[in-house]
Amino acid sequence: MKLYFLLFSLALGPISFSQNKPIFTISGTIKDASTGETLIGASIIISDRKSKSTFSNAYGFYSINAMEGTYKMSISFIGYVTDTLSLLIDRNQQLVIGLHTKPAQLETVIVSSKKKNEHIARPVMGVDKLNMIEMNNIPVIFGEKDILKTIQLMPGYKSAGEGNSGFNVRGGGTDQNLILLDEAPVYNASHLLGFFSTFNSDAIKDVSIYKGGMPAQYGGRLSSVVDIKMKDGNQKKLSIEGGLGAIASRINVSAPIVQDKGSFIISARRTYADAYLLFLKDTGQGKQTLYFYDLNLKANYRITKKDKVFLSGYFGRDELGLGDQFSTDWGNKTATLRWNHVFGNSIFSNTSLIYSNFDYNIGATIGNAKFHVASKIEDLNIKQDFDWNIGNKSKLRFGGNFIRHTIAPGDVTETNTGGVTRPVQTRHSEESIVYASHEWKASDKIEMVYGLRLSNLAVKGAGDFFTYDGAGNIISTTSYAKGKTVINYLNLEPRFSASYKLSELTSIKASYNRNIQNLHLITNATTGSPTDVWLSSSNNIKPEIADQVAVGFYKNLNEEMFDFSSEIYYKALQNQIDYRNAAVIFGNDNVESELLYGTGRAYGVELMMRKKSGRLTGWIGYTLSKVEKKIEGINNGNYFNARQDRTHDISIVGMYDVNKGWNVSATWVYTTGSAVTFPTGKYEVNGQTVFLYSDRNASRFPASHRLDLAATVEARKNKDRRYHSSWTFGLYNVYGRQNAYTINFRENNDDPSKTEAVRTSLFSIIPSVTWNFKF
């Protein structure tokens, strides 16, 4: 409560109570006029001697204040015609405003959802909005539109591997990214071992990515937040769209529940990679399976003018099998129930009940023995958020949530006898969070956002908890009953970000953020896999901590046709986790004995030049960075390269509208090879060759680069324009670059005294074609 009172007092400080005229509040919702879909981040401007502006929130709600009088009110959003109203303000009013989409005009394609020069003034930095229109045109592997692969084309976001949907942000591991789908965390956001992400783009309305100035309402990860909002559904009429591709097909159905009051959406996708297995030679090992599916569901209903409820869910799964010899399946389930309520005209409330589950199962037959492995991580979360528009220069956001984590790291059982081969205890923990942040426009030149986040992790029984000596041997065991607290970790996370306008076209920004992470992914792989082990902080594992400072320079050019941004950051890392040599992670109830702890640092510079309007749009991005760890017991206690350390990353993205029916696009990416540990020598023991290895991650994979192309052609619409379709053609890895996926070392068959490195590449040139339809 002291935290809320402090920020409440700071929020009220800038308000002037000396106005002669009364002040009224205009509030409401911004929607798509044709579908009723709410618009996130729409710009609302009231023109006066000094313009007042605000933006619609994650539910399309806005609130803005003005003194009594007559004004021009403008509402704008990317791809929509700006609506300007003449408005008499003499009382508090609620206005629901519908915007109409723009007709296709090659000369006026604007890739921005913000008011003129808005990003120059706003105090947030390290934040990117993924433009869904752009994403539909960017070429990706197998022609499947992919949110996570599009993110990897922007500075600061690095692919975890060739064709992989995992990514690293400013030196963090793949587990240090919080991925939210309608507020529910998604713990493994990949299909087919990472070649596809779990997100069907047809079901997605908005994507916001935070890598720097993270708002106080977000937490639980060190590096980034990817906040994904699903579409609400068409409130006006039945709408069906989808696509047929070479590797997968999808369909999206939405319709009103009650026109203009509620709607639903059902979106499904399935790959038919298993169909190609029919053409393979029978190996005699039985039926082979290889496919995944996604199902997105959402419904909403407006109960009153100030109350609205939402229910959304996601279900996705992968199946991979080789007869009775081997099978594995993994997937996510999420559900979110939300209630929006507006108190008065200025306070917006969102109450959420959230469920998330990720689990996997593995079956294998070895001789007469049949083994089964099962693991899961499950969250139950209740969350409350408030947005309070105190004034046009002052906004307060506060709230809290409670999360119960249940983690079953993975029991190994032998099903023929029913005996447990390697029992692994299920762990429980509870996170309690409160936060508050204040956005304040101090002057025409200075804006800032500051806040605090207080989090507590309570590690709970039942179970046996071990302590270890420096060599990883158990020195004591303590048993705790169910619900008994083992240890508490209380942490305060301050957040601050500010901007200073040097001119209407130029600004500098600075930020400081502390982030805490209580859940940790234990893996020996660079890219991550479905069978990686999640662990909660415990009596041995302390929460990871990251303190990040960043400064940036931003400039608009040529009447905002271009914008340039540069950010420099430094991140100090505490309680970093690594592994002893030859660590056993899988099915190990004493996996904590294999862990080592230390510090780390990450620093770099990110540059981006973007062209936002005209027939040719796109960007050039460059990242120069370094990531190092210092772990006692590794590399003699000296700094060494983290696995995700890569010096240079370059991305070039271009989209060109040839005419109203044709669009072509291209991407070229280059990256330094990841750090890796290669053998530097060998010796023989009892006739067996044993390799000697260098310092941890002292070598590198070769650099990788690739060119991708795509073209989309619109088919003719029918006469009443109710139906239209398009074809998308793609070519992945145009010049057939053989980028290294793995490098293995072996003795030369002709001369055992020689050792040879064998490179494995996954992809050469891959064509794709997809037919898209909508009616």
Side-chain angles (χ1 to χ4, degrees), residues 350-475:
N350 177 63
T351 306
S352 301
L353 297 175
I354 305 164
Y355 171 80
S356 176
N357 175 285
F358 170 73
D359 69 279
Y360 66 80
N361 297 279
I362 300 173
T365 300
I366 303 176
N368 294 323
K370 292 186 177 182
F371 293 90
H372 178 257
V373 182
S375 177
K376 75 170 183 178
I377 178 169
E378 181 181 75
D379 286 353
L380 292 172
N381 184 358
I382 181 169
K383 186 168 175 279
Q384 176 63 56
D385 300 292
F386 293 98
D387 290 346
W388 182 12
N389 180 42
I390 301 173
N392 293 328
K393 295 184 178 182
S394 184
K395 296 181 182 180
L396 186 66
R397 181 161 189 166
F398 58 97
N401 61 309
F402 175 83
I403 312 170
R404 179 172 175 81
H405 304 289
T406 301
I407 302 176
D411 278 337
V412 182
T413 59
E414 200 282 295
T415 56
N416 274 356
T417 63
V420 177
T421 307
R422 286 187 178 180
V424 181
Q425 298 178 83
T426 297
R427 297 299 193 192
H428 303 277
S429 58
E430 296 173 353
E431 279 191 89
S432 304
I433 300 108
V434 291
Y435 74 89
S437 66
H438 179 220
E439 183 173 348
W440 177 35
K441 185 176 181 180
S443 70
D444 289 340
K445 290 183 175 292
I446 300 174
E447 296 187 29
M448 62 183 68
V449 179
Y450 50 91
L452 293 171
R453 180 181 176 89
L454 181 66
S455 62
N456 181 73
L457 179 80
V459 180
K460 297 287 187 177
D464 296 329
F465 289 79
F466 312 110
T467 56
Y468 305 91
D469 62 19
N473 301 307
I474 298 175
I475 57 176

Side-chain angles (χ1 to χ4, degrees), residues 254-269:
S254 65
I257 297 174
V258 175
Q259 198 170 59
D260 295 324
K261 293 193 69 174
S263 59
F264 72 88
I265 183 172
I266 301 173
S267 188
R269 177 177 63 160

Side-chain angles (χ1 to χ4, degrees), residues 712-746:
T712 298
V713 56
E714 294 285 344
R716 290 185 178 181
K717 299 179 181 179
N718 63 349
K719 292 181 180 180
D720 60 5
R721 296 179 176 267
R722 293 184 59 187
Y723 164 81
H724 65 88
S725 64
S726 66
W727 290 89
T728 299
F729 305 93
L731 202 57
Y732 181 88
N733 197 8
V734 172
Y735 50 80
R737 167 74 177 181
Q738 297 293 303
N739 292 311
Y741 184 71
T742 62
I743 296 179
N744 297 312
F745 291 83
R746 67 187 183 192

Side-chain angles (χ1 to χ4, degrees), residues 53 62 227 288 356 389 402 416 481 508 599 645 677:
S53 64
Y62 72 94
D227 192 357
Q288 301 175 59
S356 176
N389 180 42
F402 175 83
N416 274 356
I508 54 175
T599 61
D645 177 64
T677 306

Side-chain angles (χ1 to χ4, degrees), residues 270-282:
R270 190 193 190 277
T271 184
Y272 27 78
D274 48 338
Y276 295 104
L277 299 177
L278 299 175
F279 299 97
L280 298 179
K281 183 179 178 180
D282 186 359

